[in-house]
Amino acid sequence: MSFYEQDHEDYRETVREYVRRYVSPSYDRWEADRLIDREVWRPAGEAGLIGLDVPEAYEGPDLHDWRFRMVVAEELNMAGAASLTIAFAVQDDLVLPYLIDLGTDEQKARWLPGMAAGELIGAIGMTEPGAGSDLQAIRTTAVRDGDDWVLNGQKTFISNGINADLVIVVAKTDPAAGARGISLLVVERGMPGFERGRKLDKLGLHAQDTAELFFTDVRVPATNVLGEIGHGFGYLMQRLPRERLSIAAGGYAGARAALQWTQDYVFERKAFGQRIGDFQNTRFELAEIETEIDVTRAYLEQCVLKLNAGTLTTVEASKAKWWATELEGRATTRLLQLFGGYGFMDEYPISRAFRDSRVQTIYGGTTEIMKEIIGRDIAARYR
């Protein structure tokens, strides 16, 4: 049975048309500007590329099938637009699940329609200069003052940080309570004391607006608290599998795109009187990488179907995340070699993909953290 059905293939054509009209003509400029135009979000909303899970009651597609998200990742990566893949993934796979699952009716009515339409862009503020994988080490605090929470602290490496209209901020509301003292507050654009820092210069994903965020005595209304006070750490742990599967799908899609570009190149270009693709070493490289990609896809498809069914575990998502992102790194490195000197030139998408892929094994939980999660699960079976 095919993983994709006809509805997904029809949707694929919608995504390709969006890419042709709005992404391909502008992507090089976004890379140079180090920023994706906000204007590209609205047509994405109109085409149904973002906000897929937003209920009809809040003007969304109400489409709970993650295979459509995988189609988006595949097509954007095939166009060499990894930065936009990440921007949309932050919206749909990180921010929206919190708002949909934890938001009050008033919060949903206030934020969801704009996010589904591409009028509002979201981000999530977890990482700090001194706290990455260890979320319990965050230092950002929120103190209750009347009907508000006064927020102080800073975040870094925040994807969509410049364009974001609302940021889900992870803060300590009871520093003495450890994991039980962490809460989620939504900070909106224009709140006094909320400032953007640098748009960070990065090795890759140049068009993705990764930023520093600063909060100085920001008064966040109690109506902007997501879920219950003190339950933030649990909320984060519950939603990490989807985030990690999203990154895994991006890794798989990036490797798949790099392989297609390379196959097209080596069977067109000649050296020493024959096509580069006809040399045994080239065929072996292509054979190994295509096999690894196909095997990875089989596992990812299982994970996607489990996510749709609500049964995807943290361990399963961790396996997908570390394997697919490490695969992307290996694949882009080895495939770039087959381009020779042209692989080092930005006119070929493999050059950009080589840079863009490097962060995949780091954010969303490093490869080492993923292995630790899996290893603890294995060890627990023998207790």
Side-chain angles (χ1 to χ4, degrees):
M1 184 176 68
S2 174
F3 176 69
Y4 289 124
E5 300 171 8
Q6 189 59 48
D7 284 351
H8 302 104
E9 298 305 335
D10 293 343
Y11 182 72
R12 188 181 300 278
E13 290 304 315
T14 299
V15 179
R16 287 175 176 171
E17 178 60 23
Y18 170 82
V19 169
R20 282 192 292 268
R21 293 183 62 185
Y22 300 103
V23 180
S24 296
S26 303
Y27 198 80
D28 287 343
R29 176 171 56 82
W30 299 343
E31 286 276 299
D33 293 345
R34 300 297 201 264
L35 188 67
I36 296 167
D37 284 344
R38 284 187 64 97
E39 289 72 20
V40 79
W41 286 78
R42 193 180 298 270
E46 293 172 352
L49 271 65
I50 54 176
L52 297 181
D53 283 330
V54 174
E56 287 184 13
Y58 302 103
E59 303 174 30
D62 209 359
L63 194 59
H64 309 289
D65 181 350
W66 208 83
R67 286 176 291 182
F68 289 99
R69 287 283 304 118
M70 195 159 170
V71 169
V72 173
E74 288 174 352
E75 295 305 319
L76 289 180
N77 276 275
M78 192 60 72
S83 289
L84 191 58
T85 306
I86 299 303
F88 286 173
V90 170
Q91 185 93 332
D92 266 49
D93 298 322
L94 275 74
V95 177
L96 277 173
Y98 288 92
L99 300 182
I100 293 171
D101 296 345
L102 304 175
T104 64
D105 290 341
E106 185 275 332
Q107 289 172 336
K108 292 177 184 179
R110 187 152 40 112
W111 295 319
L112 294 186
M115 297 192 76
E119 296 169 355
L120 294 178
I121 298 173
I124 185 163
M126 298 188 206
T127 303
E128 298 182 2
S133 297
D134 183 8
L135 286 175
Q136 294 190 55
I138 63 168
R139 300 178 66 181
T140 297
T141 61
V143 178
R144 187 69 184 255
D145 183 24
D147 292 333
D148 298 332
W149 288 87
V150 180
L151 182 69
N152 283 281
Q154 67 181 99
K155 301 292 181 179
T156 194
F157 307 149
I158 306 305
S159 299
N160 293 354
I162 298 297
N163 277 332
D165 299 291
L166 54 91
V167 181
I168 299 174
V169 178
V170 182
K172 285 187 174 178
T173 46
D174 184 354
R180 296 182 179 179
I182 293 175
S183 304
L184 307 180
L185 296 84
V186 179
V187 176
E188 299 181 73
R189 179 185 292 275
M191 284 185 171
F194 170 35
E195 297 181 354
R196 329 267 169 158
R198 294 178 298 153
K199 182 173 57 177
L200 299 171
D201 291 327
K202 309 187 296 296
L203 171 67
L205 296 174
H206 289 162
Q208 220 296 311
D209 53 320
T210 307
E212 299 172 316
L213 304 179
F214 297 93
F215 310 94
T216 305
D217 293 330
V218 180
R219 300 193 73 86
V220 181
T223 52
N224 278 34
V225 172
L226 267 186
E228 296 182 48
I229 290 294
H231 288 244
F233 189 79
Y235 295 148
L236 293 168
M237 294 303 103
Q238 291 163 10
R239 285 153 189 82
L240 280 175
R242 175 163 176 164
E243 175 188 353
R244 288 169 178 164
L245 181 61
S246 179
I247 297 171
Y252 154 77
R256 176 175 173 265
L259 178 63
Q260 185 62 62
W261 303 330
T262 306
Q263 289 173 341
D264 292 345
Y265 178 82
V266 299
F267 288 109
E268 177 182 316
R269 188 169 177 83
K270 292 185 177 180
F272 303 103
Q274 65 178 354
R275 299 181 303 177
I276 294 173
D278 290 325
F279 288 101
Q280 185 184 62
N281 179 71
T282 303
R283 294 200 304 268
F284 280 12
E285 286 289 292
L286 297 178
E288 289 183 19
I289 294 169
E290 182 169 292
T291 300
E292 289 190 41
I293 289 172
D294 286 350
V295 172
T296 301
R297 181 190 180 99
Y299 183 71
L300 274 179
E301 289 180 352
Q302 291 183 40
C303 289
V304 170
L305 295 177
K306 287 186 176 183
L307 179 67
N308 282 351
T311 59
L312 181 67
T313 68
T314 296
V315 170
E316 290 166 336
S318 298
K319 290 176 180 178
K321 197 274 180 184
W322 89 258
W323 178 261
T325 57
E326 292 286 349
L327 166 63
E328 183 183 20
R330 292 195 306 274
T332 52
T333 298
R334 294 169 66 182
L335 293 170
L336 184 148
Q337 188 76 11
L338 299 180
F339 282 79
Y342 287 108
F344 203 64
M345 301 295 115
D346 273 353
E347 64 188 278
Y348 285 86
I350 190 70
S351 173
R352 181 187 296 156
F354 174 79
R355 298 194 306 269
D356 290 347
S357 67
R358 186 59 189 88
V359 73
Q360 294 274 69
T361 63
I362 298 173
Y363 59 20
T366 64
T367 291
E368 292 74 21
I369 292 294
M370 298 300 97
K371 291 180 179 179
E372 178 65 15
I373 291 170
I374 300 162
R376 286 179 182 177
D377 181 71
I378 294 170
R381 300 172 201 165
Y382 291 88
R383 288 176 184 163

